[in-house]
Amino acid sequence: MLHNKKLILAHFWLAFGGFGFALLLGEWQMYIRSPLHAWLGNPELYYRSVTAHGTTMAYVLPTLVAMGFGYAITEAALKRPLIGRKWAWAGLGLVLAGTIVAIIPVSLGLASVLYTFYPPMVGNPFYYIGVVMVVVGSWIWVALTVINLHAWKRDNPGAPVPLAMYANTAGALLWAWTAVGAAIELLFQIIPAALGLTTTIDAGLARVFFSWTLHAIVYFWLFPAYIAYYTIVPRAIGGRLFSDPMARISFSLFLVVAMPIGVHHLFADPQVGAGFKFLHSAFTALVSLPTLLTVFTICASVEIAGRLRGGKGALGWLKVLPWDNPLMLAVAFSFVMLGFGGAGGLINMSYQLDSSIHNTQWVTGHFHLIFGGAIVIMYFAIAYDLWPHLTGRALTSFRLMRAQLWTWFVGMIVLTFPWHYVGILGMPRRMAFYDYTDPAMAGEAASVMMSVLGGAILVVSEILFFTVLIRGHRAPRVEAGEYRFSVATHEPHSVPAALNGFGLWVSLMLGLTIINYGFPIAHLMALRDTSVPVVRVGGAK
Amino acid sequence: MSEEKLFSLRNRWFTGAVGLTVAIAAVAALFGFVLLPSLQTGATFADTWDKICTAAGLVRPTTLVSPVIKPDFQTSEVIVTPQMMGPTDTVSIGRGATLALRCTMCHGARGLSEADSPNLAGQYETAVYKQLQDFKTGARTSAVMSPRVTDLSDQDMRDLAAYFAYLPRLPGYHPTGDVPAPRIVISGAPLRNIPPCAACHGAIEYKTGAAWLEGESPVYLKAQLEAFATGTRRNDISQQMRNIARNMTPAEIAAAAEYYSRQPAAAVSEAAGLK
Amino acid sequence: MSETASPGIEKSEQVERRWATISIVIVSALVVMAAFAGIHQATMPQTRIETVDPRTLHIAGEFIESNLGSALEADGSVTVRAVGQQYSFTPQCIVVPTDTPVTFRATSADVVHGFLIEHSNINTMLVPGYVSSITTRFATPAEVYMPCHEFCGVGHEGMWARIKIIDKAAFQKLAADRRRLDCVAQ
């Protein structure tokens, strides 16, 4: 039973509100740089939009979804009201305030530095301060998650932590540690430069700090979706979770290996040694393991649902699955996109293959497919599943939900597949316009236009999504009952201490951070002569 | 039961997880820091420890393989950074005003020229300073300017720059419907390596050392672009303007010069002290 | 319900272990492939970190204007030196020979840039303060583009250089006359 419905709803509405606006910006960007539009007269507008779109989609949307869903899990899984309600509201307020503080200079064109910050280019300090506020707001959620779990464990000594809460806490801890890299970059390098307190900055060191955050943040984004795979989907489709311990192992593996692999974003950079590039490459290979385990466990869980419905034969159970259930559609679409997106990720992870596509449009296509596709579609599913419990009203427009999910899936495929293709052709990233008349670029024109079409389909999907959610506020009242999670085929009565707590995994995560990042950071900090002049943008006219 | 101790050698999870992690890290490190560098052709290492240190990223002093080819002409020696000018002060501006009295013959009483010399009113400090320095070292040559800067000290040049920057600048004047803004100015030509002029020259973003172009004499602008295009003028650091000008067609050069020079006649006359 | 020795649990644990083993095999195979590709040097990360001062690139050192371009080394290899800045690469047109080890050495004069060369292994970042070094071999004569692929400011979309890959013998002839080559005037 959810006690803080308004709190959770507020998180979701803010998340989706930002998302809704940022999506429109994204489609505008796609259109503006396609052959369908003349070269933009003021290219700064494009980069401004990319900054706003990226910041909202990367820092605001997934953070708020993780927080809101996290609070729902804390209450529903631990079956008690949230401890620290006021702090939770304060955290939300901080995230909201930070978003506003950041978005104002961006909208005015004072901080078109893109969401990856790009020192030595430095924009208006309030953009960065706003981002820091968002992160601090989310750290309040982390603290509350840990506190609530701790209180429950104290009151339930020796009992297995419910899987949903275990995963939720793992995600929170991962986020807390991974955000430290960007926080150090912002607090000690960029904000002092933006405030004019320093006039030089070590761009190489800043990029290393940012890489600390940059990869693991996508696992932070992924946690709500994976939690939904394990704890919502099997229940929603009438099945059972195939294995509880395997689930815990997957989440624990993410906690350990997601973070100390960020240097694979710096393969082509000159400030990191080749040995560390290989080390990070090897550990990046490891992080595909929990996803592979997840794919297996979830497919098995779905198969259970199929068999329980009378499915027979090696694949016959697929047909009898409840395809009219939006959750079923969502997980199927998510897995298809996860398959393609994950394969793309395997290519990115090796230095040699990455050399073909680094900083081409392949990379952008990849993360739109895996995050915007596989993950965000599960955010929709989570919203659909939670909505009746939050609003106290039924969600009845199943056809609309299915149409929304279908259009999101189709739109994502049409958007991202041609996008990957032009990346292979060598189309560089982040340009406000391209000359498609040249034979070297002419081959890319058709694909880019297809992506524009895909984006338009996503806009339609977004409209459907809001329609469903808004109708959900107006539907007749209904008693949603207790919010339940999926049940494992073999519910654990006791769980090994390693899988019931985080001490071991967090220690390994910290240890690996030292091994993988310690020397590169220390050594760059010790170099005297690598700080370069700060280039302020958005200023002089 | 979860009464078991987690951090104990008797806990299989602990030993397994830590052992596996350490093993993977050790093997990957062996590979990345020792084996792979050993297989690098063309890289010379003193010994294994050197291999490891280099793979870790320690900066070793490199001896240049081939000697540096020096130029046979004077290049700009100005160190251009966004912080190069320092804070402006009125004393400096005052000194600059005095020094500028000798400039009015060509550059106009208020920094607005009636001839085809560049207008200096409101010009970016860094642009004025850099050009004066380049005239002095010979990186940029002009029969008119070169003799006039020989007795200017570094502080003099800073003062002059501060003064001219302080004068009211000519704003951009591009009435629509008159003549459409040339594509080469607004969007450049990407595959010919021509970005929009405003990306550096201030109207969208300012790159340190670039000049404000609005309201300049079209004759002067055209001459400078042509000089960059042929390489006659080469005080642009690392060829950054030559790279752009040499890919512009003569028509585009003329159009760009014309676009930037456009000023309502009234504004220029009034500012130059004529009625 | 007991958690010990029920046949259902045993069977499912066996299936899990089998899948986990398969997953580990897949992952290990990928790592071995990456190492193999590294060993056979399809392309490798640069061997060493080198630092440089972006403020004085044009005044002294390896990256002064007259030292940029393609240089034929004593051992027959070619070193191409280039500078990236807002918003062009210098030399703007780089000439390289076929069938020769070509090492690109480049750095940035201001902000982070990057470049790739179409249809080649060359793909690197230019971070001000550090020198990037990357080696490749071109097989056939061609004219390809070298765009900047990292956001470097509002003029980024105009930052495209050109690479001319010419026959090895033709390159040797050109190199006999001049110490640093480029194709800028063409």
Side-chain angles (χ1 to χ4, degrees):
Chain A
M1 142 102 206
L2 297 174
H3 301 265
N4 281 289
K5 300 185 172 113
K6 278 218 179 66
L7 175 73
I8 300 165
L9 259 181
H11 280 82
F12 278 115
W13 270 118
L14 280 175
F16 294 133
F19 160 79
F21 180 61
L23 186 82
L24 296 175
L25 285 180
E27 175 60 0
W28 178 80
Q29 286 155 225
M30 200 75 229
Y31 170 66
I32 272 300
R33 66 175 181 79
S34 76
L36 297 169
H37 191 272
W39 295 343
L40 192 58
N42 180 356
E44 188 273 324
L45 289 174
Y46 177 80
Y47 301 118
R48 192 188 305 189
S49 179
V50 176
T51 308
H53 172 85
T55 305
T56 310
M57 294 300 206
Y59 299 141
V60 179
L61 162 71
T63 308
L64 285 171
V65 168
M67 289 165 71
F69 187 38
Y71 290 132
I73 291 173
T74 306
E75 292 200 321
L78 302 184
K79 298 193 178 27
R80 50 201 272 168
L82 183 72
I83 299 169
R85 246 182 96 242
K86 288 214 175 68
W87 283 100
W89 278 105
L92 178 64
L94 202 49
V95 171
L96 176 61
T99 308
I100 294 172
V101 166
I103 236 53
I104 290 177
V106 171
S107 318
L108 296 174
L110 302 176
S112 302
V113 291
L114 274 51
Y115 78 99
T116 33
F117 307 149
Y118 286 123
M121 284 194 289
V122 167
N124 184 284
F126 285 101
Y127 169 62
Y128 308 106
I129 290 171
V131 172
V132 170
M133 288 165 70
V134 169
V135 172
V136 172
S138 71
W139 279 346
I140 293 178
W141 163 71
V142 171
L144 287 180
T145 306
V146 170
I147 289 169
N148 274 271
L149 178 59
H150 181 76
W152 182 90
K153 281 181 103 168
R154 204 191 42 222
D155 296 342
N156 298 272
V161 173
L163 176 62
M165 189 59 188
Y166 184 78
N168 181 34
T169 314
L173 290 170
L174 173 65
W175 171 237
W177 184 237
T178 204
V180 169
I184 293 177
E185 184 200 5
L186 285 171
L187 291 173
F188 294 106
Q189 295 190 282
I190 293 187
I191 291 178
L195 291 172
L197 300 172
T198 56
T199 53
T200 61
I201 190 169
D202 186 336
L205 177 62
R207 289 172 69 81
V208 173
F209 278 130
F210 194 70
S211 77
W212 168 329
T213 301
L214 185 57
H215 196 81
I217 196 175
V218 318
Y219 293 99
F220 168 54
W221 299 343
L222 158 170
F223 260 74
Y226 276 43
I227 295 174
Y229 287 159
Y230 282 102
T231 65
I232 294 182
V233 167
R235 181 219 81 216
I237 63 173
R240 301 280 218 129
L241 175 62
F242 181 72
S243 163
D244 181 274
M246 251 343 192
R248 290 170 196 264
I249 289 175
S250 291
F251 287 113
S252 307
L253 276 175
F254 277 125
L255 183 53
V256 175
V257 200
M259 181 262 140
I261 59 177
V263 165
H264 73 244
H265 289 265
L266 302 178
F267 274 159
D269 275 49
Q271 75 275 11
V272 179
F276 280 101
K277 290 179 181 174
F278 183 79
L279 191 59
H280 282 244
S281 186
F283 276 97
T284 308
L286 258 183
V287 85
S288 55
L289 192 57
T291 294
L292 287 169
L293 296 176
T294 301
V295 166
F296 173 76
T297 309
I298 302 306
C299 285
S301 310
V302 171
E303 183 183 348
I304 290 175
R307 304 248 176 245
L308 283 175
R309 292 166 77 91
K312 303 243 179 292
L315 293 173
W317 53 272
L318 281 167
K319 275 202 333 241
V320 299
L321 288 168
W323 291 104
D324 56 340
N325 185 330
L327 269 290
M328 186 66 237
L329 269 188
V331 74
F333 291 153
S334 185
F335 266 44
V336 169
M337 293 189 282
L338 183 65
F340 286 109
L346 293 175
I347 289 174
N348 300 341
M349 117 188 146
S350 105
Y351 177 83
Q352 285 74 18
L353 290 175
D354 179 62
S355 285
S356 341
I357 46 81
H358 170 66
N359 260 356
T360 63
Q361 295 282 358
W362 164 285
V363 176
T364 332
H366 163 75
F367 66 71
H368 278 82
L369 177 60
I370 189 113
F371 173 53
I375 304 300
V376 168
I377 206 171
M378 292 308 294
Y379 289 178
F380 298 149
I382 290 169
Y384 289 157
D385 200 59
L386 271 175
W387 223 244
H389 298 267
L390 298 174
T391 58
R393 299 168 192 274
L395 267 189
T396 49
S397 28
F398 280 87
R399 286 189 62 202
L400 216 48
M401 285 190 260
R402 286 197 297 270
Q404 188 270 319
L405 294 168
W406 265 106
T407 45
W408 191 259
F409 174 65
V410 169
M412 267 296 157
I413 300 288
V414 174
L415 174 77
T416 59
F417 279 31
W419 213 341
H420 282 81
Y421 178 61
V422 295
I424 296 176
L425 293 181
M427 189 179 188
R429 276 179 88 175
R430 292 172 159 167
M431 289 187 167
F433 47 80
Y434 298 85
D435 184 352
Y436 296 101
T437 62
D438 189 283
M441 304 230 41
E444 295 158 9
S447 302
V448 175
M449 288 194 281
M450 279 209 276
S451 291
V452 177
L453 175 62
I457 299 174
L458 294 179
V459 172
V460 170
S461 184
E462 154 180 66
I463 295 172
L464 293 176
F465 180 60
F466 283 115
T467 309
V468 171
L469 293 188
I470 292 170
R471 276 200 195 165
H473 277 283
R474 305 231 190 101
R477 290 201 169 277
V478 86
E479 180 48 61
E482 199 187 318
Y483 190 69
R484 292 177 300 109
F485 296 100
S486 59
V487 174
T489 49
H490 306 282
E491 272 295 300
H493 285 280
S494 77
V495 164
L499 295 181
N500 213 33
F502 304 98
L504 175 60
W505 314 116
V506 170
S507 308
L508 284 175
M509 174 175 77
L510 295 176
L512 278 177
T513 306
I514 293 172
I515 295 174
N516 287 13
Y517 267 107
F519 183 77
I521 290 175
H523 154 253
L524 284 177
M525 284 179 72
L527 283 177
R528 296 257 141 254
D529 48 355
T530 48
S531 286
V532 302
V534 167
V535 176
R536 302 292 302 270
V537 300
K541 289 288 182 281
Chain B
M1 283 302 290
S2 39
E3 299 306 332
E4 65 201 279
K5 279 183 59 167
L6 185 52
F7 288 93
S8 122
L9 287 171
R10 263 172 297 165
N11 186 321
R12 268 178 46 230
W13 287 94
F14 176 73
T15 49
V18 174
L20 207 56
T21 307
V22 168
I24 294 172
V27 170
L30 183 69
F31 229 90
F33 291 90
V34 182
L35 287 174
L36 281 179
S38 303
L39 297 164
Q40 282 270 39
T41 54
T44 46
F45 300 105
D47 54 13
T48 308
W49 182 240
D50 187 35
K51 267 184 214 142
I52 295 175
C53 290
T54 307
L58 279 170
V59 178
R60 310 303 232 190
T62 40
T63 47
L64 275 179
V65 175
S66 24
V68 170
I69 307 282
K70 295 267 172 16
D72 56 4
F73 57 93
Q74 177 67 42
T75 54
S76 178
E77 286 172 4
V78 182
I79 296 179
V80 175
T81 68
Q83 299 82 21
M84 69 194 270
M85 295 313 288
T88 351
D89 70 73
T90 46
V91 176
S92 178
I93 294 174
R95 279 199 303 258
T98 312
L99 287 164
L101 289 171
R102 63 171 96 169
C103 314
T104 56
M105 176 87 81
C106 301
H107 289 290
R110 290 190 188 73
L112 289 168
S113 163
E114 293 163 48
D116 289 319
S117 320
N119 297 320
L120 296 176
Q123 185 52 270
Y124 293 114
E125 259 188 284
T126 50
V128 173
Y129 174 75
K130 180 175 183 298
Q131 297 310 313
L132 288 172
Q133 287 284 5
D134 287 344
F135 280 124
K136 185 159 189 189
T137 58
R140 184 176 176 188
T141 50
S142 151
V144 175
M145 282 303 298
S146 299
R148 281 181 173 70
V149 301
T150 49
D151 60 341
L152 288 177
S153 70
D154 181 84
Q155 188 57 49
D156 290 338
M157 296 184 194
R158 287 177 184 275
D159 296 336
L160 279 166
Y163 168 68
F164 283 119
Y166 149 87
L167 292 175
R169 173 190 294 172
L170 281 172
Y173 178 74
H174 303 291
T176 53
D178 179 21
V179 177
R183 195 184 210 203
I184 195 67
V185 170
I186 299 303
S187 310
L191 292 176
R192 278 189 281 149
N193 194 197
I194 303 172
C197 310
C200 296
H201 284 281
I204 297 178
E205 192 59 77
Y206 179 61
K207 184 177 177 189
T208 311
W212 179 248
L213 301 173
E214 299 281 5
E216 287 296 354
S217 146
V219 171
Y220 177 74
L221 289 177
K222 186 157 176 288
Q224 297 315 305
L225 280 172
E226 285 166 351
F228 279 127
T230 55
T232 320
R233 178 171 168 185
R234 44 197 183 184
N235 70 322
D236 54 326
I237 292 173
S238 297
Q239 304 202 28
Q240 54 189 285
M241 266 312 295
R242 278 168 276 169
N243 283 339
I244 293 172
R246 72 168 71 96
N247 294 333
M248 293 172 77
T249 66
E252 286 171 341
I253 289 179
E258 168 62 35
Y259 171 85
Y260 274 112
S261 69
R262 237 175 279 143
Q263 275 299 308
V268 177
S269 306
E270 210 224 284
L274 309 170
K275 288 293 184 281
Chain C
M1 208 171 82
S2 143
E3 64 269 28
T4 52
S6 129
I9 293 189
E10 258 184 36
K11 181 71 181 164
S12 63
E13 276 181 7
Q14 186 197 44
V15 171
E16 279 164 23
R17 267 195 297 272
R18 209 176 285 165
W19 177 251
T21 313
I22 295 174
S23 303
I24 291 171
V25 167
I26 293 175
V27 169
S28 311
L30 290 169
V31 176
V32 166
M33 270 180 4
F36 182 80
I39 293 170
H40 286 268
Q41 295 173 35
T43 180
M44 290 283 273
Q46 63 187 71
T47 333
R48 49 186 86 241
I49 296 185
E50 296 177 57
T51 59
V52 73
D53 186 349
R55 284 167 274 228
T56 56
L57 293 177
H58 58 292
I59 296 180
E62 193 183 352
F63 294 101
I64 61 173
E65 191 183 316
S66 48
N67 203 42
L68 299 177
S70 311
L72 185 58
E73 304 289 354
D75 63 0
S77 70
V78 167
T79 306
V80 178
R81 295 184 175 83
V83 163
Q85 67 228 322
Q86 289 171 319
Y87 299 103
S88 58
F89 294 103
T90 303
Q92 181 180 54
C93 184
I94 295 174
V95 62
V96 289
T98 53
D99 201 35
T100 313
V102 177
T103 300
F104 286 80
R105 289 177 57 80
T107 185
S108 163
D110 42 35
V111 301
V112 175
H113 298 273
F115 63 87
L116 62 83
I117 298 178
E118 290 182 315
H119 311 304
S120 84
N121 290 343
I122 298 290
N123 190 326
T124 188
M125 304 299 292
L126 300 181
V127 180
Y130 303 88
V131 178
S132 302
S133 174
I134 184 162
T135 305
T136 191
R137 213 177 173 93
F138 296 96
T140 49
E143 269 197 51
V144 290
Y145 281 111
M146 178 172 120
C148 173
H149 60 26
E150 187 62 286
F151 176 66
C152 53
V154 295
H156 167 62
E157 69 282 342
M159 192 163 166
W160 292 74
R162 284 184 355 257
I163 305 277
K164 259 201 177 144
I165 308 162
I166 62 174
D167 186 70
K168 182 170 178 173
F171 185 88
Q172 308 271 19
K173 267 223 305 263
L174 288 174
D177 296 330
R178 287 163 59 199
R179 307 278 300 280
R180 296 286 182 268
L181 297 168
D182 60 53
C183 44
V184 154
Q186 306 145 34

